[in-house]
């Protein structure tokens, strides 16, 4: 998230609230969810966990991100499945939800890739793809650096499961008002981008958020 919308959300927040102080921590979705659930974090910007959230938490959907094939711009005319079969694969880390979704897609499509690297950073994957080191299948993430890279994002021929990216926070918190301010800025920043319109599963918000 640090390479995605988070910096834009923080920038928008301090423009209206210059005295705001926020501690940002990074982690996997499961780690951040557990921190919020046990009151060690006020709010997390993360993927929706692979289970139904308890009623003690709110969830705001900010964006749905479908899988795409990442390829050098010069290969944008080629068949996406052909690229995954014929070119070296820079795999998105299978410990992450997006990497697991990519693995399921490859299996369902009957594609056995020629793997070169397995990396947890989408930014690093995109840079390698832009340099012609290989191709990848990864979520079409909301990042500011796509236009700066010679990378084509090709839609997949078959349907794929979208990963749900948003914010989670407790229904009750001593910092509810501050949290609501942060969540509202995230909603507005994402709505300003060409993203699906955010939908809310309830209202309430914590302030300190985790990346």
């Amino acid at each position: 998230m640090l390479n995605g919308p988070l910096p834009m959300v923080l920038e928008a927040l301090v423009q209206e609230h210059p005295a705001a102080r926020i501690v940002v921590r990074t982690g996997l979705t499961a780690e951040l969810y557990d921190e919020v659930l046990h009151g060690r974090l006020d709010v997390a910007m993360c993927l929706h966990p692979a289970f139904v959230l308890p009623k003690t938490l709110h969830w705001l959907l900010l964006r749905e991100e479908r899988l795409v094939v990442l390829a050098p711009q010069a290969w944008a005319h080629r068949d996406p499945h052909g690229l995954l079969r014929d070119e070296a694969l820079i795999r998105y880390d299978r410990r992450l939800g997006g990497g697991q979704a990519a693995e399921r897609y490859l299996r369902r499509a009957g594609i056995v890739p020629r793997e070169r690297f397995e990396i947890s950073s989408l930014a690093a994957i995109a840079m390698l793809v832009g340099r012609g080191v290989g191709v990848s299948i990864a979520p079409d993430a909301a990042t500011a650096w796509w236009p700066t890279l010679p990378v084509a994002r090709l839609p997949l021929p078959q349907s794929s499961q979208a990963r749900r990216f948003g914010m989670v926070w407790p229904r009750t918190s001593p910092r509810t008002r501050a949290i609501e301010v942060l969540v509202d800025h995230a909603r507005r920043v994402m709505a300003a981008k060409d993203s699906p319109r955010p939908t809310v599963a309830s209202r309430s918000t914590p302030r300190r958020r985790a990346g």
Side-chain angles (χ1 to χ4, degrees):
M1 305 310 170
L2 292 178
N3 292 319
L6 175 56
M8 294 179 284
V9 174
L10 296 179
E11 179 188 11
L13 178 69
V14 298
Q15 285 176 352
E16 291 189 20
H17 304 276
R21 179 182 179 275
I22 296 176
V23 177
V24 177
R25 300 177 189 169
T26 61
L28 300 177
T29 290
E31 297 167 348
L32 297 177
Y33 165 79
D34 190 66
E35 294 283 290
V36 171
L37 185 63
H38 291 92
R40 294 186 290 268
L41 283 177
D42 295 323
V43 55
M45 182 178 283
C46 60
L47 301 179
H48 193 293
F51 48 80
V52 177
L53 293 177
K55 293 183 178 181
T56 55
L57 298 179
H58 288 309
W59 167 259
L60 168 69
L61 176 65
L62 293 173
R63 179 181 170 88
E64 290 188 332
E65 300 175 337
R66 297 203 171 274
L67 293 174
V68 292
V69 172
L70 305 179
Q73 195 64 54
W75 296 349
H77 63 284
R78 294 176 56 182
D79 173 65
H81 279 185
L83 287 168
L84 292 172
R85 287 191 179 96
D86 300 337
E87 303 298 337
L89 180 71
I90 305 171
R91 185 186 280 281
Y92 190 34
D93 194 335
R94 281 169 287 190
R95 295 175 301 170
L96 307 177
Q100 293 166 12
E103 172 65 10
R104 287 194 296 270
Y105 184 93
L106 291 170
R107 289 185 179 181
R108 183 158 50 87
I111 296 172
V112 180
R114 181 164 56 90
E115 297 186 31
R116 175 161 283 166
F117 305 123
E118 183 163 352
I119 303 176
S120 62
S121 166
L122 279 177
I125 290 173
M127 285 189 282
L128 287 167
V129 169
R131 292 174 178 270
V133 177
V135 300
S136 188
I137 173 172
D140 190 11
T143 63
W145 37 259
W146 282 128
T148 70
L149 296 172
V151 174
R153 293 176 286 168
L154 308 178
L156 290 164
Q158 300 178 17
S159 62
S160 65
Q161 181 182 2
R163 69 175 189 175
R164 302 171 65 204
F165 163 72
M167 300 180 78
V168 62
W169 67 96
R171 288 182 179 273
T172 59
S173 167
R175 289 179 287 274
T176 291
R177 178 57 193 145
I179 292 165
E180 288 177 345
V181 170
L182 178 63
V183 170
D184 184 61
H185 277 82
R187 181 191 293 109
R188 283 190 276 158
V189 165
M190 296 304 293
K193 298 174 69 65
D194 294 328
S195 325
R197 234 183 129 70
T199 58
V200 198
S202 345
R203 281 208 57 147
S204 223
T205 14
R207 174 192 56 155
R208 257 162 82 198
R209 42 186 289 305

